[in-house]
């Protein structure tokens, strides 16, 4: 099952709660993914985050702080964000201001479930199709991130252990880490696991979906346990 992280940038608590209800209704009906939803009331707070961690952004145009939603979306674009977003507003006078951003929808409040449904279907399609591109001297291969169980450093190479086998790629482990999405958690100096494929944590070991036990180094134990608890409690 896929895990999607959604950002809601909204300063009105009632509007945020109604949007969240519709998002959870979509997830319950869809049954293909789980949602992690994070809330922000200002554009300034949201821009402090690693926005590439999010799969979709719902952005209210009228926000607290100095930046409105349009300003925040434009700042995301300038910083290289490609995350799709939907603007939320009580007024349709802003619709043309959203051009030049990554907006895929302009949703008038009160938001209708059908509009949220369409946005989330778009986000799910993007996540489902997300792939790591393996490009060697004589081979080009696309590997869905959902099919990668874990990655391990091997000198100047990185081993990708997938559901169908192991591929060794000539790329340093630290460079591989920079390309992996948020569901990959470092459990050792040389190992990063896809939290979606972790079946059990016992002491300082974790059991992967291929029945392999991996060691958790002490410095990473807390973050691995927290990530796993977040995943299984969604």
């Amino acid at each position: 099952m896929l895990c999607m992280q959604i950002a809601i940038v909204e300063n009105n608590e009632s509007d945020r709660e109604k949007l969240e209800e519709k998002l959870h209704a979509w997830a319950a009906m869809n049954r293909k993914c789980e949602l992690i939803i994070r809330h922000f009331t200002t554009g300034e707070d949201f821009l402090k985050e690693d926005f590439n961690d999010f799969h979709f952004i719902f952005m209210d145009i009228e926000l607290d702080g100095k930046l409105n939603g349009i300003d925040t979306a434009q700042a995301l674009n300038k910083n290289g964000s490609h995350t799709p977003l939907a603007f939320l507003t009580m007024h349709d006078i802003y619709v043309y201001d959203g051009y030049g951003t990554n907006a895929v929808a302009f949703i008038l409040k009160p938001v209708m479930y059908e509009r949220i449904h369409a946005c989330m279907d778009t986000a799910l399609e993007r996540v489902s199709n997300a792939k790591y591109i393996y490009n060697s001297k004589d081979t080009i291969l696309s590997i869905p991130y959902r099919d990668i169980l874990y990655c391990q450093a091997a000198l100047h190479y990185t081993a990708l252990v997938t559901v169908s086998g192991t591929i060794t790629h000539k790329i340093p482990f630290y460079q591989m880490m920079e390309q992996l999405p948020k569901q990959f958690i470092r459990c050792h100096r040389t190992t990063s696991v896809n939290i979606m494929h972790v079946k059990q944590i016992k002491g300082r070991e974790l059991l992967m979906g291929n029945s392999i036990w991996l060691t958790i180094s002490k410095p990473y134990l807390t973050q691995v346990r927290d990530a796993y608890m977040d995943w299984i409690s969604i």
Side-chain angles (χ1 to χ4, degrees):
M1 183 177 290
L2 294 172
C3 180
M4 297 175 62
Q5 185 158 219
I6 308 301
I8 299 178
V9 189
E10 167 66 75
N11 62 341
N12 184 293
E13 184 175 356
S14 176
D15 288 343
R16 175 182 62 76
E17 290 176 348
K18 291 175 183 176
L19 174 56
E20 245 192 279
E21 288 176 4
K22 292 177 173 62
L23 287 170
H24 287 303
W26 173 85
M29 182 192 73
N30 191 279
R31 296 185 180 179
K32 292 181 181 178
C33 70
E34 302 286 358
L35 299 182
I36 297 176
I37 302 174
R38 297 189 58 197
H39 318 120
F40 306 87
T41 58
T42 70
E44 288 88 343
D45 285 344
F46 181 62
L47 290 174
K48 294 175 184 176
E49 297 293 314
D50 185 350
F51 42 79
N52 291 314
D53 287 345
F54 296 97
H55 299 104
F56 201 90
I57 303 166
F58 289 95
M59 180 81 69
D60 187 23
I61 289 182
E62 298 174 331
L63 295 169
D64 295 336
K66 294 182 180 180
L67 298 178
N68 64 25
I70 300 292
D71 297 331
T72 305
Q74 290 173 343
L76 290 173
N77 274 27
K78 289 179 181 178
N79 284 285
S81 171
H82 298 289
T83 304
L85 64 88
F87 285 118
L88 310 171
T89 184
M90 294 287 292
H91 312 288
D92 60 6
I93 59 174
Y94 298 106
V95 64
Y96 297 109
D97 296 335
Y99 292 126
T101 67
N102 292 325
V104 298
F106 189 96
I107 303 176
L108 288 175
K109 299 179 182 180
V111 297
M112 304 297 292
Y113 173 75
E114 292 74 17
R115 300 301 307 280
I116 303 304
H117 183 140
C119 288
M120 293 306 298
D121 282 351
T122 297
L124 178 60
E125 183 178 2
R126 285 174 58 109
V127 175
S128 298
N129 294 329
K131 299 177 177 68
Y132 174 75
I133 305 301
Y134 169 78
N135 189 355
S136 69
K137 186 175 181 179
D138 57 358
T139 304
I140 299 176
L141 180 65
S142 64
I143 309 168
Y145 286 117
R146 65 177 180 270
D147 290 345
I148 301 174
L149 280 73
Y150 55 93
C151 306
Q152 285 188 318
L155 295 178
H156 300 297
Y157 293 78
T158 299
L160 302 178
V161 180
T162 75
V163 293
S164 57
T166 300
I167 298 170
T168 302
H169 192 182
K170 191 175 183 179
I171 180 174
F173 182 68
Y174 76 90
Q175 289 186 14
M176 174 66 72
M177 287 291 296
E178 293 173 354
Q179 300 182 44
L180 296 175
K182 190 176 180 63
Q183 72 226 42
F184 286 85
I185 304 296
R186 201 162 186 168
C187 67
H188 188 277
R189 183 175 57 85
T190 62
T191 308
S192 178
V193 298
N194 186 341
I195 205 70
M196 296 166 56
H197 289 288
V198 175
K199 299 303 180 184
Q200 180 184 348
I201 294 178
K202 186 176 182 180
R204 284 178 48 189
E205 290 187 311
L206 49 82
L207 177 65
M208 300 303 299
N210 60 352
S211 300
I212 297 295
W213 286 90
L214 298 175
T215 300
I216 308 172
S217 294
K218 188 174 181 180
Y220 301 104
L221 183 59
T222 299
Q223 73 174 25
V224 172
R225 291 177 63 89
D226 288 349
Y228 186 58
M229 287 301 298
D230 286 344
W231 168 247
I232 63 177
S233 63
I234 294 173

